[in-house]
Amino acid sequence: MKAGHLVSFLPALLWLSASGQTAAPLAEQLRRLELDPDQCYRVRDLELHREDIRIFLNDGVLIFSQPLHDRRVVAIFRAIDAGDDGELIVRPPDRGERASLARATGSANLNEHFKTAVFLFGDGGGEELLASIRKASPKPVPEEGLLLASRHAETVRNFAQSFQVRLLRDVLSGDRRNGLFYAAISGVSRGNFDVLHDPTLPEQVIIGEVPAGSPGRFNVWASFPSRSRRQEAQRWPEEVFVEDYRIEASVDQELRLATRVEAVLKPQRPLQGAVLFELAPEMEVKAARLDGQPVEIFRRESLRANLIGGLVNEPFLLVLPRPLEPGGAHRVEFELSGNVIRRAGNGVYYVGARTNWYPSRGFHFTRFDMTFRVPKDLRVAATGDLEEETVEGETRIARFRTSAPVRLAGFNIGNFESAVAEAKGLRVRVYANRTVEPSLLPQPRQIVMPPSAAPRLPGRGPTQVITLTPSPPNPQARMKELAAETAAAMEWMTAQFGPPALPAVTVSPIPGNFGQGFPGLVYLSTISYLPERDRPAAVQTSRLNVFYSEILLAHEAAHQWWGNLVTSASYRDEWLQEALANYTALMLVERKRGARALESILEEYRLELLRETGEPKQPVEAAGPITWGARLRASDGVDPWRVITYCKGSWILHMLRRRLGDGPFLAMVGELRRQHEYGTINTEEFRALAARFTAKDDPDRTLEGFFDTWVYGTGIPVIETSVRTRGKPPALDVTVTVKQGGVPEDFVVELPVAVTPVKGARPVVKWLRTSDEAAVQFRLQAPPVRVEVAPGAGVLAVRK
């Protein structure tokens, strides 16, 4: 059996026993773990249930691993005879996950027979199975065990190492209630796939596979809360908070970063064993202390779980010398160093590890006090207010402090110049490099000089070629303009949504074609710094110029609210913060250029969603509902996650705005900020909030139908509108008919139909519920001036 099965969802906490046992020797035992031939049995009609997961070992051989701290953590089932068989049954509880499973396997329920399976037990399942087997007083089959132990030795070690952090947590804590169960199944019809039950995760049941030939990916077939968690309907509580960071960072001439990090550790429940942190792989932990005393650090040698899960950061363990009780506060200190600052060339630098250059545990709101020491010719941009900046000898010292809690802190570094703009309590500082990265330098041009028409004289050469090297673009050309634009944009956002996460925002350049919005710090593509005429030819289009000149900066600035002040509750809700940021940017484009400009951008988004890709060919939008989040990501070709999150997310908000009206929509978004600041929001909470602002005559006042269609479902309908008039003035019957196609029969949209009876009059609006063909009728005194179905780009559809 292949050892390529791996689930990437790691828990946030590792528990160790209070017996003084440390992580390193147990990890070494896991690396050397072997199967136990004396614990190999012929089994029949053996059942293994974990919430929604049901496994039946009908006939076959089951062998267990040697004990790890008195626990059998690995077992392998194998069919030996022709009639031997195992069976797995999983039924996802909701329509969305059944659709996800059907997309991956062709069936909405998983009922798979298998001949081989590897089981990992952090929940005591190995002992439970042994107890069930021994009740029947079977005879061990050690001869078969010797063969299996030899054949699967590498498989056992690979799986044990891949899950070593999780298994150590379970074995040493004795916390069987929250222990891991994992099965790597070699199915008869589905091939190799994985099944996981982990009570510490937000969604406890996960089914998926590592695609053949793509060891760096994990495709989720279905993921959902377990039966008991669905009944409890409660979020998993935090075990520990890490707060009040004080960071002292030094950058030497080789750009190596050395940091000393101090923070406060606040347990939310009794802790013993170890606490898991995340850190960029480039950073090395030199030492750690808890309440002033040195403590052990254990860092995983195997990064395979992170690689397959697509995780950028790497876990390490802070081993606790004693149990910690809730309600206390403990000082934790780290000393680290590493190479997270990169050279882009031509004197341009950037920070590669922007989210975890310091140890962290998830992202929750806290305060930061950071001091940077860098070579004096460099400057630092960072999250927080620039408290002071001095030069001592060859070193520049800059201190930043946050005036309010933020979720994370970032920094940037470069040979910067700066410009400042202010607007009603906001202070915007824009840093710009003195030069651009090599990729933005114009290419030399060669000009061929024709030979003279006169007869060639002795010594005169042939045709001459002259090389012209254009002047490099100036990244400071738009610096003051960017500062003013950012201040104006954030002033408008503040008027609509309330104050941002921090009153001071720094914009700094980053090589590439993207941006990123941190609390108080915006990373902005160098392309946005350049005048349109100086940008590379590849982005010299009207659409991309609008993107780099207007949308990108406004989008990242909007993350000061959406993502940094109000954040998503889970990966399923991340579309909200990206869609809100992007649509905020589109509203600013609308304010500057008018409604036609906004609708033009939405039309481009519609075409991106309809672009066909993959085999068989299908629209990008059909890859899955927007709530699948990162599960939509693809590593080759068009990335459905990007297109669906940004393009469809903007469409969803635009349709919602058209449905509510401009005033109620902006009032709703402002209320969202007020209710959820310094907290999270999920998709259902967003629906319930928006429903409070629907009009009395809206046929779907709860917006449940709207969300079922556009948020939890897929599909872009083709609609064809026709208008028929009967009768004579002043008694005209106007019938508006809408035919719908290109979507399943159960795809339903509530469309407003607006009829303007006379010029200058207010439109009469009625709602139409789509089907194959639906109609709505108006009684008018004269032929209408205008008939519109979902006016103002009010529906994501192909119109005929």
PDB file of all heavy atoms in Angstrom, residues 175-200:
ATOM      1  N   ASP A 175      -5.913  11.794  26.618  1.00  0.00           N
ATOM      2  CA  ASP A 175      -7.168  12.471  26.286  1.00  0.00           C
ATOM      3  C   ASP A 175      -7.851  11.737  25.125  1.00  0.00           C
ATOM      4  O   ASP A 175      -7.842  12.177  23.997  1.00  0.00           O
ATOM      5  CB  ASP A 175      -6.874  13.926  25.914  1.00  0.00           C
ATOM      6  CG  ASP A 175      -8.130  14.732  25.647  1.00  0.00           C
ATOM      7  OD1 ASP A 175      -9.219  14.263  26.016  1.00  0.00           O
ATOM      8  OD2 ASP A 175      -8.016  15.819  25.071  1.00  0.00           O
ATOM      9  N   ARG A 176      -8.430  10.591  25.442  1.00  0.00           N
ATOM     10  CA  ARG A 176      -9.025   9.776  24.379  1.00  0.00           C
ATOM     11  C   ARG A 176     -10.264  10.427  23.778  1.00  0.00           C
ATOM     12  O   ARG A 176     -10.555  10.238  22.597  1.00  0.00           O
ATOM     13  CB  ARG A 176      -9.382   8.392  24.928  1.00  0.00           C
ATOM     14  CG  ARG A 176      -8.170   7.628  25.431  1.00  0.00           C
ATOM     15  CD  ARG A 176      -8.498   6.187  25.729  1.00  0.00           C
ATOM     16  NE  ARG A 176      -7.303   5.461  26.163  1.00  0.00           N
ATOM     17  CZ  ARG A 176      -7.211   4.148  26.167  1.00  0.00           C
ATOM     18  NH1 ARG A 176      -8.246   3.401  25.791  1.00  0.00           N
ATOM     19  NH2 ARG A 176      -6.106   3.552  26.580  1.00  0.00           N
ATOM     20  N   ARG A 177     -10.968  11.202  24.557  1.00  0.00           N
ATOM     21  CA  ARG A 177     -12.195  11.827  24.049  1.00  0.00           C
ATOM     22  C   ARG A 177     -11.908  12.723  22.840  1.00  0.00           C
ATOM     23  O   ARG A 177     -12.704  12.811  21.914  1.00  0.00           O
ATOM     24  CB  ARG A 177     -12.857  12.632  25.161  1.00  0.00           C
ATOM     25  CG  ARG A 177     -14.133  13.343  24.731  1.00  0.00           C
ATOM     26  CD  ARG A 177     -14.777  14.028  25.928  1.00  0.00           C
ATOM     27  NE  ARG A 177     -15.978  14.750  25.535  1.00  0.00           N
ATOM     28  CZ  ARG A 177     -15.983  16.019  25.122  1.00  0.00           C
ATOM     29  NH1 ARG A 177     -14.832  16.693  25.039  1.00  0.00           N
ATOM     30  NH2 ARG A 177     -17.110  16.597  24.791  1.00  0.00           N
ATOM     31  N   ASN A 178     -10.762  13.396  22.863  1.00  0.00           N
ATOM     32  CA  ASN A 178     -10.408  14.301  21.776  1.00  0.00           C
ATOM     33  C   ASN A 178      -9.287  13.750  20.908  1.00  0.00           C
ATOM     34  O   ASN A 178      -8.593  14.499  20.217  1.00  0.00           O
ATOM     35  CB  ASN A 178      -9.995  15.660  22.344  1.00  0.00           C
ATOM     36  CG  ASN A 178     -11.138  16.348  23.044  1.00  0.00           C
ATOM     37  OD1 ASN A 178     -12.230  16.463  22.496  1.00  0.00           O
ATOM     38  ND2 ASN A 178     -10.909  16.787  24.271  1.00  0.00           N
ATOM     39  N   GLY A 179      -9.115  12.431  20.941  1.00  0.00           N
ATOM     40  CA  GLY A 179      -8.026  11.810  20.200  1.00  0.00           C
ATOM     41  C   GLY A 179      -8.320  11.669  18.714  1.00  0.00           C
ATOM     42  O   GLY A 179      -9.467  11.694  18.260  1.00  0.00           O
ATOM     43  N   LEU A 180      -7.263  11.446  17.979  1.00  0.00           N
ATOM     44  CA  LEU A 180      -7.316  11.316  16.524  1.00  0.00           C
ATOM     45  C   LEU A 180      -7.684   9.898  16.107  1.00  0.00           C
ATOM     46  O   LEU A 180      -7.228   8.915  16.705  1.00  0.00           O
ATOM     47  CB  LEU A 180      -5.947  11.673  15.949  1.00  0.00           C
ATOM     48  CG  LEU A 180      -5.715  11.367  14.464  1.00  0.00           C
ATOM     49  CD1 LEU A 180      -6.367  12.436  13.591  1.00  0.00           C
ATOM     50  CD2 LEU A 180      -4.224  11.274  14.172  1.00  0.00           C
ATOM     51  N   PHE A 181      -8.501   9.800  15.066  1.00  0.00           N
ATOM     52  CA  PHE A 181      -8.665   8.544  14.331  1.00  0.00           C
ATOM     53  C   PHE A 181      -8.440   8.839  12.857  1.00  0.00           C
ATOM     54  O   PHE A 181      -9.026   9.778  12.305  1.00  0.00           O
ATOM     55  CB  PHE A 181     -10.052   7.934  14.503  1.00  0.00           C
ATOM     56  CG  PHE A 181     -10.304   6.788  13.560  1.00  0.00           C
ATOM     57  CD1 PHE A 181      -9.705   5.560  13.768  1.00  0.00           C
ATOM     58  CD2 PHE A 181     -11.101   6.950  12.441  1.00  0.00           C
ATOM     59  CE1 PHE A 181      -9.911   4.508  12.880  1.00  0.00           C
ATOM     60  CE2 PHE A 181     -11.311   5.914  11.549  1.00  0.00           C
ATOM     61  CZ  PHE A 181     -10.720   4.686  11.771  1.00  0.00           C
ATOM     62  N   TYR A 182      -7.586   8.047  12.237  1.00  0.00           N
ATOM     63  CA  TYR A 182      -7.239   8.252  10.836  1.00  0.00           C
ATOM     64  C   TYR A 182      -7.178   6.913  10.128  1.00  0.00           C
ATOM     65  O   TYR A 182      -6.682   5.923  10.691  1.00  0.00           O
ATOM     66  CB  TYR A 182      -5.891   8.969  10.726  1.00  0.00           C
ATOM     67  CG  TYR A 182      -5.295   8.970   9.344  1.00  0.00           C
ATOM     68  CD1 TYR A 182      -5.714   9.890   8.390  1.00  0.00           C
ATOM     69  CD2 TYR A 182      -4.305   8.059   8.995  1.00  0.00           C
ATOM     70  CE1 TYR A 182      -5.160   9.902   7.125  1.00  0.00           C
ATOM     71  CE2 TYR A 182      -3.749   8.068   7.730  1.00  0.00           C
ATOM     72  CZ  TYR A 182      -4.177   8.987   6.796  1.00  0.00           C
ATOM     73  OH  TYR A 182      -3.640   8.992   5.543  1.00  0.00           O
ATOM     74  N   ALA A 183      -7.701   6.874   8.914  1.00  0.00           N
ATOM     75  CA  ALA A 183      -7.658   5.652   8.104  1.00  0.00           C
ATOM     76  C   ALA A 183      -7.201   5.982   6.695  1.00  0.00           C
ATOM     77  O   ALA A 183      -7.744   6.886   6.061  1.00  0.00           O
ATOM     78  CB  ALA A 183      -9.034   4.987   8.067  1.00  0.00           C
ATOM     79  N   ALA A 184      -6.180   5.254   6.249  1.00  0.00           N
ATOM     80  CA  ALA A 184      -5.740   5.341   4.860  1.00  0.00           C
ATOM     81  C   ALA A 184      -6.270   4.097   4.150  1.00  0.00           C
ATOM     82  O   ALA A 184      -5.859   2.979   4.440  1.00  0.00           O
ATOM     83  CB  ALA A 184      -4.217   5.397   4.784  1.00  0.00           C
ATOM     84  N   ILE A 185      -7.221   4.324   3.252  1.00  0.00           N
ATOM     85  CA  ILE A 185      -7.956   3.238   2.628  1.00  0.00           C
ATOM     86  C   ILE A 185      -7.453   3.011   1.206  1.00  0.00           C
ATOM     87  O   ILE A 185      -7.266   3.960   0.447  1.00  0.00           O
ATOM     88  CB  ILE A 185      -9.469   3.554   2.584  1.00  0.00           C
ATOM     89  CG1 ILE A 185      -9.994   3.874   3.986  1.00  0.00           C
ATOM     90  CG2 ILE A 185     -10.247   2.414   1.945  1.00  0.00           C
ATOM     91  CD1 ILE A 185      -9.966   2.718   4.940  1.00  0.00           C
ATOM     92  N   SER A 186      -7.259   1.754   0.855  1.00  0.00           N
ATOM     93  CA  SER A 186      -6.974   1.385  -0.534  1.00  0.00           C
ATOM     94  C   SER A 186      -8.235   0.731  -1.092  1.00  0.00           C
ATOM     95  O   SER A 186      -8.448  -0.480  -0.978  1.00  0.00           O
ATOM     96  CB  SER A 186      -5.788   0.415  -0.602  1.00  0.00           C
ATOM     97  OG  SER A 186      -5.417   0.160  -1.935  1.00  0.00           O
ATOM     98  N   GLY A 187      -9.111   1.586  -1.658  1.00  0.00           N
ATOM     99  CA  GLY A 187     -10.431   1.132  -2.060  1.00  0.00           C
ATOM    100  C   GLY A 187     -10.431   0.321  -3.333  1.00  0.00           C
ATOM    101  O   GLY A 187      -9.560   0.473  -4.195  1.00  0.00           O
ATOM    102  N   VAL A 188     -11.439  -0.531  -3.446  1.00  0.00           N
ATOM    103  CA  VAL A 188     -11.572  -1.380  -4.635  1.00  0.00           C
ATOM    104  C   VAL A 188     -11.881  -0.534  -5.867  1.00  0.00           C
ATOM    105  O   VAL A 188     -11.338  -0.748  -6.941  1.00  0.00           O
ATOM    106  CB  VAL A 188     -12.666  -2.442  -4.413  1.00  0.00           C
ATOM    107  CG1 VAL A 188     -12.941  -3.217  -5.709  1.00  0.00           C
ATOM    108  CG2 VAL A 188     -12.252  -3.401  -3.295  1.00  0.00           C
ATOM    109  N   SER A 189     -12.758   0.461  -5.724  1.00  0.00           N
ATOM    110  CA  SER A 189     -13.142   1.279  -6.876  1.00  0.00           C
ATOM    111  C   SER A 189     -12.570   2.688  -6.833  1.00  0.00           C
ATOM    112  O   SER A 189     -12.356   3.300  -7.873  1.00  0.00           O
ATOM    113  CB  SER A 189     -14.671   1.353  -6.988  1.00  0.00           C
ATOM    114  OG  SER A 189     -15.229   1.935  -5.823  1.00  0.00           O
ATOM    115  N   ARG A 190     -12.309   3.242  -5.645  1.00  0.00           N
ATOM    116  CA  ARG A 190     -11.854   4.636  -5.521  1.00  0.00           C
ATOM    117  C   ARG A 190     -10.353   4.776  -5.451  1.00  0.00           C
ATOM    118  O   ARG A 190      -9.840   5.894  -5.501  1.00  0.00           O
ATOM    119  CB  ARG A 190     -12.461   5.289  -4.275  1.00  0.00           C
ATOM    120  CG  ARG A 190     -13.947   5.135  -4.133  1.00  0.00           C
ATOM    121  CD  ARG A 190     -14.706   5.850  -5.209  1.00  0.00           C
ATOM    122  NE  ARG A 190     -16.143   5.647  -5.028  1.00  0.00           N
ATOM    123  CZ  ARG A 190     -17.046   5.865  -5.952  1.00  0.00           C
ATOM    124  NH1 ARG A 190     -16.662   6.289  -7.151  1.00  0.00           N
ATOM    125  NH2 ARG A 190     -18.327   5.656  -5.729  1.00  0.00           N
ATOM    126  N   GLY A 191      -9.624   3.682  -5.269  1.00  0.00           N
ATOM    127  CA  GLY A 191      -8.190   3.790  -5.099  1.00  0.00           C
ATOM    128  C   GLY A 191      -7.842   4.273  -3.700  1.00  0.00           C
ATOM    129  O   GLY A 191      -8.605   4.112  -2.749  1.00  0.00           O
ATOM    130  N   ASN A 192      -6.672   4.895  -3.555  1.00  0.00           N
ATOM    131  CA  ASN A 192      -6.206   5.351  -2.252  1.00  0.00           C
ATOM    132  C   ASN A 192      -6.889   6.654  -1.845  1.00  0.00           C
ATOM    133  O   ASN A 192      -6.937   7.607  -2.613  1.00  0.00           O
ATOM    134  CB  ASN A 192      -4.695   5.574  -2.273  1.00  0.00           C
ATOM    135  CG  ASN A 192      -3.925   4.278  -2.449  1.00  0.00           C
ATOM    136  OD1 ASN A 192      -4.464   3.198  -2.218  1.00  0.00           O
ATOM    137  ND2 ASN A 192      -2.682   4.380  -2.859  1.00  0.00           N
ATOM    138  N   PHE A 193      -7.399   6.697  -0.617  1.00  0.00           N
ATOM    139  CA  PHE A 193      -7.964   7.931  -0.086  1.00  0.00           C
ATOM    140  C   PHE A 193      -7.881   7.895   1.435  1.00  0.00           C
ATOM    141  O   PHE A 193      -7.493   6.881   2.034  1.00  0.00           O
ATOM    142  CB  PHE A 193      -9.407   8.152  -0.559  1.00  0.00           C
ATOM    143  CG  PHE A 193     -10.386   7.115  -0.112  1.00  0.00           C
ATOM    144  CD1 PHE A 193     -11.143   7.296   1.039  1.00  0.00           C
ATOM    145  CD2 PHE A 193     -10.583   5.943  -0.852  1.00  0.00           C
ATOM    146  CE1 PHE A 193     -12.062   6.341   1.444  1.00  0.00           C
ATOM    147  CE2 PHE A 193     -11.499   4.987  -0.451  1.00  0.00           C
ATOM    148  CZ  PHE A 193     -12.237   5.185   0.700  1.00  0.00           C
ATOM    149  N   ASP A 194      -8.212   9.019   2.069  1.00  0.00           N
ATOM    150  CA  ASP A 194      -8.029   9.192   3.506  1.00  0.00           C
ATOM    151  C   ASP A 194      -9.340   9.541   4.190  1.00  0.00           C
ATOM    152  O   ASP A 194     -10.164  10.260   3.629  1.00  0.00           O
ATOM    153  CB  ASP A 194      -7.046  10.329   3.774  1.00  0.00           C
ATOM    154  CG  ASP A 194      -5.737  10.160   3.022  1.00  0.00           C
ATOM    155  OD1 ASP A 194      -5.650  10.599   1.855  1.00  0.00           O
ATOM    156  OD2 ASP A 194      -4.819   9.590   3.610  1.00  0.00           O
ATOM    157  N   VAL A 195      -9.484   9.070   5.421  1.00  0.00           N
ATOM    158  CA  VAL A 195     -10.635   9.390   6.254  1.00  0.00           C
ATOM    159  C   VAL A 195     -10.111   9.791   7.627  1.00  0.00           C
ATOM    160  O   VAL A 195      -9.291   9.076   8.209  1.00  0.00           O
ATOM    161  CB  VAL A 195     -11.600   8.195   6.380  1.00  0.00           C
ATOM    162  CG1 VAL A 195     -12.781   8.553   7.264  1.00  0.00           C
ATOM    163  CG2 VAL A 195     -12.076   7.744   5.009  1.00  0.00           C
ATOM    164  N   LEU A 196     -10.583  10.924   8.127  1.00  0.00           N
ATOM    165  CA  LEU A 196     -10.086  11.447   9.393  1.00  0.00           C
ATOM    166  C   LEU A 196     -11.239  11.826  10.307  1.00  0.00           C
ATOM    167  O   LEU A 196     -12.229  12.399   9.850  1.00  0.00           O
ATOM    168  CB  LEU A 196      -9.241  12.701   9.137  1.00  0.00           C
ATOM    169  CG  LEU A 196      -8.653  13.380  10.378  1.00  0.00           C
ATOM    170  CD1 LEU A 196      -7.368  12.707  10.795  1.00  0.00           C
ATOM    171  CD2 LEU A 196      -8.392  14.857  10.100  1.00  0.00           C
ATOM    172  N   HIS A 197     -11.095  11.502  11.581  1.00  0.00           N
ATOM    173  CA  HIS A 197     -11.982  12.046  12.612  1.00  0.00           C
ATOM    174  C   HIS A 197     -11.104  12.647  13.691  1.00  0.00           C
ATOM    175  O   HIS A 197     -10.316  11.956  14.337  1.00  0.00           O
ATOM    176  CB  HIS A 197     -12.880  10.966  13.216  1.00  0.00           C
ATOM    177  CG  HIS A 197     -13.747  11.498  14.320  1.00  0.00           C
ATOM    178  ND1 HIS A 197     -13.477  11.285  15.658  1.00  0.00           N
ATOM    179  CD2 HIS A 197     -14.871  12.266  14.288  1.00  0.00           C
ATOM    180  CE1 HIS A 197     -14.388  11.884  16.401  1.00  0.00           C
ATOM    181  NE2 HIS A 197     -15.245  12.483  15.597  1.00  0.00           N
ATOM    182  N   ASP A 198     -11.220  13.971  13.864  1.00  0.00           N
ATOM    183  CA  ASP A 198     -10.396  14.678  14.832  1.00  0.00           C
ATOM    184  C   ASP A 198     -11.274  15.672  15.587  1.00  0.00           C
ATOM    185  O   ASP A 198     -11.683  16.694  15.047  1.00  0.00           O
ATOM    186  CB  ASP A 198      -9.260  15.418  14.124  1.00  0.00           C
ATOM    187  CG  ASP A 198      -8.304  16.075  15.107  1.00  0.00           C
ATOM    188  OD1 ASP A 198      -8.641  16.165  16.303  1.00  0.00           O
ATOM    189  OD2 ASP A 198      -7.207  16.489  14.688  1.00  0.00           O
ATOM    190  N   PRO A 199     -11.622  15.369  16.852  1.00  0.00           N
ATOM    191  CA  PRO A 199     -12.530  16.244  17.605  1.00  0.00           C
ATOM    192  C   PRO A 199     -11.984  17.642  17.858  1.00  0.00           C
ATOM    193  O   PRO A 199     -12.753  18.534  18.226  1.00  0.00           O
ATOM    194  CB  PRO A 199     -12.712  15.488  18.932  1.00  0.00           C
ATOM    195  CG  PRO A 199     -12.407  14.067  18.618  1.00  0.00           C
ATOM    196  CD  PRO A 199     -11.323  14.127  17.587  1.00  0.00           C
ATOM    197  N   THR A 200     -10.675  17.867  17.687  1.00  0.00           N
ATOM    198  CA  THR A 200     -10.119  19.189  17.961  1.00  0.00           C
ATOM    199  C   THR A 200     -10.240  20.139  16.778  1.00  0.00           C
ATOM    200  O   THR A 200      -9.899  21.320  16.906  1.00  0.00           O
ATOM    201  CB  THR A 200      -8.628  19.085  18.343  1.00  0.00           C
ATOM    202  OG1 THR A 200      -7.855  18.685  17.211  1.00  0.00           O
ATOM    203  CG2 THR A 200      -8.430  18.112  19.488  1.00  0.00           C
TER     204      THR A 200
END
